[in-house]
Amino acid sequence: MYLDADNPHALVHLARLAASEQKIDRDPKVLAQIDAARRDIISRAYMERIGAGAPRPSAEEIKKYYESNPALFKERRIYNLQEIVIEAPPEQMSDLQARLQAAKDINEFLAYLKTNQIKYGANQAVRPAEQLPLTRLEGIAKMHDGQVQFLPTPRGAQVLVLVSSRTQPVDEERARPAIETYLVNERKRKVIEDDLKALRGSAKIEYVGDFAHTDRPAAAPTTDVTPTKSPLTSAPVTTPEPLLPIQSASMPTGAALEQGIKGLK
């Protein structure tokens, strides 16, 4: 049989033949990996089948989502942002914030950091709304050109400067396919999540043999976790997500909008 050595499929076939001759396919580690991959494929297929039953959103629901997120759509802006990440101890935060407020511009503040040998990193780029972290977008959308945000972090502070911005809205018709896809995916996630929760609740572990007479491990304590809002919109302040480096802006495609809104809860 002739095989084209330049054909990637032929190379895979040759490698599989060589592996079989060396009995690699019988190696316990390889068999374990094959079994793990098989279990993963089956479980994913199960979840896809369960999620397929999620209902599609109505036109009213799509419109409501569009109206509820103006920063992503009808009030969408392209942001020219400068981000400065400062390393400093907590006791310096008040002084740094005061220095920032007193500076006539950001260059004067950077000169102060250099003079006082305070470590920092800076970057600047342009990013459309859907490429910003969704937990930060609401607060950034409220900023005016030239406005500065000062956010404490565990290692120091993050300074965000809105150098400039321009409005570039997306109308409802153009946004509709991305919104519909996002809402469907969210419903699929919820259906799958509820199904898995029900499976966990009905699952039973039966101990047999010597294990039946041993002490069973105590159930791990559960902790209620309350999510906090973005540090730009309300207290308490959490660690801000890094914004840069970022890509140059352009009008979003449907895929880009879907990617941008998929993390919004």
Side-chain angles (χ1 to χ4, degrees), residues 102-116:
K104 63 182 181 180
D105 55 36
I106 197 63
N107 290 329
E108 181 178 309
F109 178 69
L110 293 178
Y112 169 81
L113 296 179
K114 291 179 182 179
T115 301
N116 290 270

Side-chain angles (χ1 to χ4, degrees), residues 4 6-7 11 25 27 30 32 40 46 55 57 67 77 79 84 89 117 128 153 172 186 195 198 230:
D4 183 1
D6 293 329
N7 188 324
L11 294 177
D25 55 340
D27 185 294
V30 174
D40 183 66
Y46 171 79
E67 296 292 342
R77 292 156 71 193
Y79 300 90
I84 302 161
Q117 298 182 336
T153 68
E172 184 178 350
E186 277 298 285
D195 185 79
S230 165

Side-chain angles (χ1 to χ4, degrees), residues 21-255:
E21 290 177 359
Q22 298 177 30
K23 295 182 170 52
I24 294 177
D25 55 340
R26 301 180 187 178
D27 185 294
K29 292 182 178 179
V30 174
L31 291 174
Q33 291 175 346
I34 293 173
D35 187 53
R38 179 177 177 274
R39 292 197 303 269
D40 183 66
I41 292 170
I42 292 174
S43 62
R44 287 179 182 275
Y46 171 79
M47 289 188 286
E48 288 176 3
R49 179 172 297 183
I50 294 298
R56 304 195 73 81
S58 65
E60 291 76 15
E61 289 171 321
I62 293 173
K63 182 176 183 63
K64 181 180 178 181
Y65 188 87
Y66 177 86
E67 296 292 342
S68 300
N69 294 276
L72 275 174
F73 305 116
K74 61 182 179 181
E75 296 176 10
R76 174 180 177 266
R77 292 156 71 193
I78 308 297
Y79 300 90
N80 183 355
L81 296 166
Q82 184 175 13
E83 183 184 41
I84 302 161
V85 179
I86 303 170
E87 292 185 23
E91 56 268 21
Q92 282 189 283
M93 292 302 101
S94 296
D95 181 61
L96 285 173
Q97 189 167 9
R99 294 282 182 176
L100 177 62
Q101 293 173 345
K104 63 182 181 180
D105 55 36
I106 197 63
N107 290 329
E108 181 178 309
F109 178 69
L110 293 178
Y112 169 81
L113 296 179
K114 291 179 182 179
T115 301
N116 290 270
Q117 298 182 336
I118 298 173
K119 293 182 179 180
Y120 73 92
N123 205 345
Q124 181 173 336
V126 176
R127 178 176 271 186
E130 68 275 8
Q131 290 182 10
L132 291 170
L134 270 296
T135 54
R136 302 285 302 276
L137 179 57
E138 182 180 354
I140 294 173
K142 295 177 181 177
M143 294 175 67
H144 301 291
D145 291 359
Q147 190 174 355
V148 178
Q149 292 279 356
F150 183 92
L151 302 170
T153 68
R155 298 184 60 183
Q158 180 194 66
V159 175
L160 182 66
V161 184
L162 179 53
V163 180
S164 63
S165 66
R166 69 181 187 274
T167 302
Q168 200 171 81
V170 177
D171 60 40
E172 184 178 350
E173 183 179 357
R174 184 172 183 181
R176 188 178 296 115
I179 295 175
E180 181 178 14
T181 299
Y182 165 73
L183 293 177
V184 167
N185 288 339
E186 277 298 285
R187 290 179 178 185
K188 286 182 179 180
R189 181 192 61 79
K190 184 64 168 59
V191 168
I192 293 171
E193 186 179 88
D194 290 345
D195 185 79
L196 293 179
K197 187 181 295 184
L199 289 176
R200 284 194 295 267
S202 62
K204 294 182 179 180
I205 300 176
E206 182 179 353
Y207 293 85
V208 297
D210 294 338
F211 294 102
H213 306 290
T214 58
D215 293 333
R216 299 181 183 182
T222 59
T223 304
D224 293 330
V225 179
T226 303
T228 57
K229 295 183 179 180
S230 165
L232 285 180
T233 57
S234 66
V237 174
T238 56
T239 304
E241 299 179 53
L243 300 178
L244 308 176
I246 55 185
Q247 301 173 359
S248 59
S250 60
M251 282 297 288
T253 61

